Each structure stands twice: as C-alpha cells, then as structure tokens.
Amino acid sequence: DGGITQSPKYLFRKEGQNVTLSCEQNLNHDAMYWYRQDPGQGLRLIYYSQIVNDFQKGDIAEGYSVSREKKESFPLTVTSAQKNPTAFYLCASSMSLGLPNKGEQYFGPGTRLTVT
Amino acid sequence: QKEVEQNSGPLSVPEGAIASLNCTYSDRGSQSFFWYRQYSGKSPELIMFIYSNGDKEDGRFTAQLNKASQYVSLLIRDSQPSDSATYLCAVNQGAQKLVFGQGTRLTINP
C-alpha cells in the first residue's frame, strides 16, 4: 500500500524543547517537502529536498532543520529557536519534473504540534 | 502582492447547484496548476490539475485555465454536502515547488 506516513498525529511539547517530526514515503518519489499551516491559512513551505543528501530552504526555514539521508525519509526538527511552533505540519512528496509529472505533490496525514 | 490569490470565502452554495472557485496568479511563467480539497483537520487531497489553456473535466469537476488573464477556476457541478471543504489553488512556477493560495472555504447547504 503506497503512501506517505507522518508520525505522530498529535505532538505536545514544552517551550524550549526541540522536537522531530517523522515523514516516510514508499512512492519512490524523488522530491519531498515540509509545509506549515496555521488556522485559516494556506500552506507555507519550510524546506524541500529534490534528491538524497541535498535540501533547500523554503520561505520560512528559520527555526527548523531537516535531513535527507534516505530517499524514503525526510524528518523535520522544530528547534527552540522557532518562535511560534504551534501549527499543523504537512509533509509531501513528488516525482521529479518531466512528463507525465507536472509537479503534483501528494500529502501525508499531517502532525499537529502544540507547544506550551 | 500575493503570488496566488483566492477569495477566502466562505462561499455558500445550495445543494445541486454549481460551485465556482477562482484563483489568480502573478507569475506569467507559471506552467501547471492544481486544485486541492482539504477537509477540516485533514491534509490536502489533489483533485484536479491543468496545464493547457481551456477546460479539463473529471466527473463533476471542471478546471478552467486562462493563461492570458492569469486565471484558473474550479467548477463543481451538482454540489453535494460532502463537497463542503476548503479548496486550495496551487501553482508550479517552473521550479519543483508549488505556491499555494490561502484557500476558499466552501459550504454546500442541503
């Protein structure tokens, strides 16, 4: 059963603690992405990776870090430097650009992080 | 100026009617366009994509693209209460990234 998994579904942390969100895919997709969604808002790109051992900052990378050691996995660490970490975090993946792929991304179920 | 703009709604449509959702984008080099449906508390689900001018139909959904006007729309025919969700427009601007609008909340009234 192919898909993207994120764990845990809900995560609670105290302020000042780093926390790592898991994202795994078995779709054989090359590219993976992390987004953040706040209530009533669209998706904002945190980091993305087009190939193993390489990743780029998105629009709101400050306070976050990632790694891409395996094609299937793209974990996101929310550090204590992130000022407003409470949000819904979404991981997505995509095939490399080129026919028939036009850049469509597929999302995991998300992790809802609450920091108090 | 936002790169991808949508009316945040809420858009309220009676059951059985046509729901029309609109999206404009600022980058003329944008190449492909996507509509995602997001139910409350869930992740976005891809429902349509289009990359050529004109209409593309899939069941009750029709995506329309007008690159000259930098406008993409989604029509939902015979709207059902299960269509009530937030619809996100996303645009691929040539890099392997999507830019998302803020979403339009659609409510179908029985």
Side-chain angles (χ1 to χ4, degrees), chain B residues 1-55:
Chain B
Q1 184 184 1
K2 289 187 181 177
E3 295 182 50
V4 178
E5 293 209 40
Q6 296 180 253
N7 187 327
S8 61
L11 176 64
S12 186
V13 172
E15 184 175 355
I18 296 175
S20 177
L21 303 161
N22 304 317
C23 174
T24 58
Y25 59 95
S26 59
D27 187 345
R28 284 196 172 275
S30 299
Q31 298 178 350
S32 47
F33 308 85
F34 305 88
W35 284 101
Y36 287 83
R37 178 177 62 200
Q38 186 176 24
Y39 292 115
S40 181
K42 302 295 185 183
S43 62
E45 173 193 9
L46 180 66
I47 55 172
M48 288 286 287
F49 68 90
I50 187 168
Y51 47 86
S52 300
N53 272 330
D55 294 359

Side-chain angles (χ1 to χ4, degrees), chain A:
Chain A
D1 212 10
I4 305 171
T5 57
Q6 291 185 245
S7 60
K9 187 173 181 180
Y10 297 96
L11 190 54
F12 299 87
R13 280 293 183 270
K14 295 289 188 185
E15 205 172 297
Q17 293 178 333
N18 290 356
V19 59
T20 297
L21 281 57
S22 166
C23 178
E24 304 276 334
Q25 56 98 0
N26 61 4
L27 300 168
N28 200 31
H29 284 175
D30 294 301
M32 297 185 74
Y33 308 81
W34 274 106
Y35 294 90
R36 169 184 173 138
Q37 188 175 38
D38 294 283
Q41 303 293 312
L43 276 62
R44 292 186 289 168
L45 183 64
I46 304 172
Y47 268 98
Y48 66 106
S49 169
Q50 296 177 314
I51 196 169
V52 174
N53 292 322
D54 189 40
F55 48 82
Q56 287 79 40
K57 292 182 179 180
D59 301 317
I60 55 164
E62 185 175 348
Y64 299 98
S65 65
V66 293
S67 63
R68 186 86 187 277
E69 296 177 1
K70 298 187 300 182
K71 187 175 184 178
E72 302 78 21
S73 179
F74 191 41
L76 173 74
T77 297
V78 183
T79 75
S80 56
Q82 167 50 231
K83 297 198 184 316
N84 297 296
T86 294
F88 188 38
Y89 289 87
L90 289 156
C91 179
S93 69
S94 172
M95 290 169 58
S96 294
L97 278 179
L99 289 175
N101 177 42
K102 289 293 185 178
E104 57 267 35
Q105 296 178 13
Y106 298 91
F107 286 85
T111 292
R112 199 166 295 277
L113 173 65
T114 302
V115 176
T116 57

